[in-house]
Amino acid sequence: MVDEKNEGKLLAHLETIASSLERLALFGELEEFYSPDERKQLVAEYRALREADAVAFQGIEAAREEKGEAGLGWEARVQIGVPQETDFFVH
């Protein structure tokens, strides 16, 4: 689980990686490593994963809003008494 302090940094790094991969694809550099069919498959998988990630993130944000926790950091959630049984690996 990513703590909220580093979440923004992680998302920024992932966006940088994504944009770098897109640039490589645009410039045709990937032709040296993958066949056209492999590239199409990789791009399709990449887009599907990004879409799934966006849907999952929207679900998390919707749950936070529903619980009144939108925009709250961990410390604020602890102070207002949000239950700490949020470790999904425990259950």
Side-chain angles (χ1 to χ4, degrees), residues 3 20 31 48-49 55-56 59 62 67 81:
D3 64 60
S20 296
E31 289 178 10
L49 288 171
V55 169
K67 291 182 174 188

Side-chain angles (χ1 to χ4, degrees), residues 9-82:
K9 291 178 185 176
L10 177 60
L11 290 174
H13 288 299
L14 290 174
E15 285 297 324
T16 301
I17 292 168
S19 65
S20 296
L21 288 174
E22 289 171 0
R23 281 191 211 122
L24 280 173
L26 289 174
F27 290 114
E29 295 293 324
L30 293 178
E31 289 178 10
E32 294 180 29
F33 302 107
Y34 300 103
S35 70
D37 290 337
E38 289 173 320
R39 285 194 307 272
K40 287 178 186 176
Q41 181 181 358
L42 287 171
V43 169
E45 289 176 14
Y46 168 76
R47 289 181 178 154
L49 288 171
R50 290 212 23 143
E51 179 63 28
D53 184 57
V55 169
F57 186 72
Q58 288 172 354
I60 291 170
E61 290 299 307
R64 282 183 167 175
E65 288 177 18
E66 186 177 300
K67 291 182 174 188
E69 301 173 16
L72 294 180
W74 176 253
E75 290 82 11
R77 292 176 66 216
V78 170
Q79 287 178 357
I80 63 170
V82 174

